Amino acid sequence: MKDLRVTHIGGPTTLVEVGGWRILTDPTFDPPGRRYSFGWGTSSRKWTGPALDPDEIGPIDAVLLTHDHHADNLDDRGRALLAQAPTVITTRSGARRLGGGARGLRPWMQTELDAPGRRRITVTATPCRHGPPLSRPVAGPVVGFALRWDAQEHGVFWITGDTVLFRGVRQVPHRMTVDTVLLHLGAVRFPLTGSLHYSLTAAEAVELCTLAKPRTIIPVHYEGWSHFSQGREAVERAFAAAPDGLGERLHWLPLRPADSL
């Protein structure tokens, strides 16, 4: 995608620069070492910190927050940063909790980022299910985001959000053309629930990308926390075995300030 720049800051947190906009996804900036509760007897320890501190990022025009109730997607320092963002887009329940004019979307709802001198961006919320069937009351609502802007050539920029592979997320490539996907991975598991997983496995990611056929695949949210059961090696193996050269479309963004796509 021309004019698109993505910098991986850590976990799900990226800086997306396009059309004059500087958009932050799922801000997480706490230092490593702390254990966070995820509710219902589950928890996870953060092992690695961000590649950039908030004051190194510069001004932010908008935050796309897939959900506000898990610390690996919004931690204490990330929450403090929200007050500096002119626009925050998240789930409906998350917007009610955050207040401050946050925009809440349900799946397939749309809103726009529009400002003089910048390309208009249409943001469409996409379905997520953050766990196995019937887990939504426990895991809470999550959304992904599909971004389309003026003069976009090939398709949307899709942020999957924390989700497993299910009917709702499979609808995305049927309803829109995906050019670049920011793929939330990690196959999250907790000892309390055994083999059940709460985010995409490597095999599910291959199946989803086979459906979506993106030109560029950017893996994120696969490292730095104890609740991830699959990391980069598992993802690389799965994509290397995928047909049609799918693995050649993977773009790993190293976690250093100078590295971006």
Side-chain angles (χ1 to χ4, degrees), residues 155-176:
V156 300
F157 177 78
W158 181 27
I159 303 160
T160 64
D162 289 6
T163 186
V164 297
L165 188 63
F166 76 113
R167 182 172 59 87
V169 80
R170 286 190 180 97
Q171 291 175 352
V172 176
H174 291 297
R175 296 180 64 153
M176 54 185 68

Side-chain angles (χ1 to χ4, degrees), residues 4-248:
L4 173 66
R5 180 180 176 88
V6 180
T7 302
H8 190 192
I9 296 168
T13 310
T14 64
L15 177 64
V16 180
E17 298 172 90
V18 63
W21 294 92
R22 305 184 83 246
I23 302 168
L24 196 67
T25 68
D26 284 357
T28 55
F29 292 96
D30 284 359
R34 177 177 163 190
R35 178 171 290 276
Y36 296 80
S37 172
F38 287 80
W40 297 85
T42 61
S43 66
S44 182
R45 186 176 299 280
K46 186 174 185 178
W47 285 340
T48 59
L52 295 170
D53 286 329
D55 57 2
E56 296 177 292
I57 293 173
I60 298 299
D61 301 304
V63 171
L64 301 180
L65 178 60
T66 63
H67 57 303
D68 70 307
H69 52 280
H70 292 154
D72 60 330
N73 295 84
L74 181 68
D75 58 18
D76 292 343
R77 294 186 73 193
R79 195 175 292 271
L81 182 143
L82 293 184
Q84 305 171 27
T87 301
V88 177
I89 304 173
T90 187
T91 62
R92 293 292 293 270
S93 59
R96 288 193 295 269
R97 285 188 291 266
L98 294 172
R103 305 183 198 177
L105 301 180
R106 293 192 183 96
W108 305 119
M109 291 179 65
Q110 294 183 334
T111 189
E112 288 189 343
L113 299 175
D114 195 8
R118 300 177 187 171
R119 294 182 186 177
R120 180 187 299 110
I121 298 179
T122 300
V123 180
T124 303
T126 60
C128 292
R129 194 184 74 205
H130 200 356
L134 306 179
S135 66
R136 201 181 306 270
V138 176
V142 181
V143 291
F145 300 101
L147 278 58
R148 183 181 297 279
W149 51 84
D150 297 342
Q152 199 170 9
E153 295 181 2
H154 300 288
V156 300
F157 177 78
W158 181 27
I159 303 160
T160 64
D162 289 6
T163 186
V164 297
L165 188 63
F166 76 113
R167 182 172 59 87
V169 80
R170 286 190 180 97
Q171 291 175 352
V172 176
H174 291 297
R175 296 180 64 153
M176 54 185 68
T177 300
V178 178
D179 182 90
T180 300
V181 59
L182 198 69
L183 196 61
H184 287 216
L185 294 164
V188 165
R189 288 179 178 167
F190 299 100
L192 184 68
T193 52
S195 63
L196 296 177
H197 63 277
Y198 295 83
S199 63
L200 287 171
T201 66
E204 288 178 336
V206 167
E207 183 176 344
L208 182 58
C209 289
T210 300
L211 288 172
K213 298 180 175 62
R215 295 195 307 163
T216 303
I217 303 165
I218 304 174
V220 297
H221 212 21
Y222 57 86
E223 41 67 43
W225 287 82
S226 63
H227 62 333
F228 290 131
S229 67
Q230 291 182 337
R232 176 169 175 165
E233 290 185 5
V235 175
E236 287 181 330
R237 284 196 304 269
F239 274 85
D244 302 323
L246 196 65
E248 298 174 4

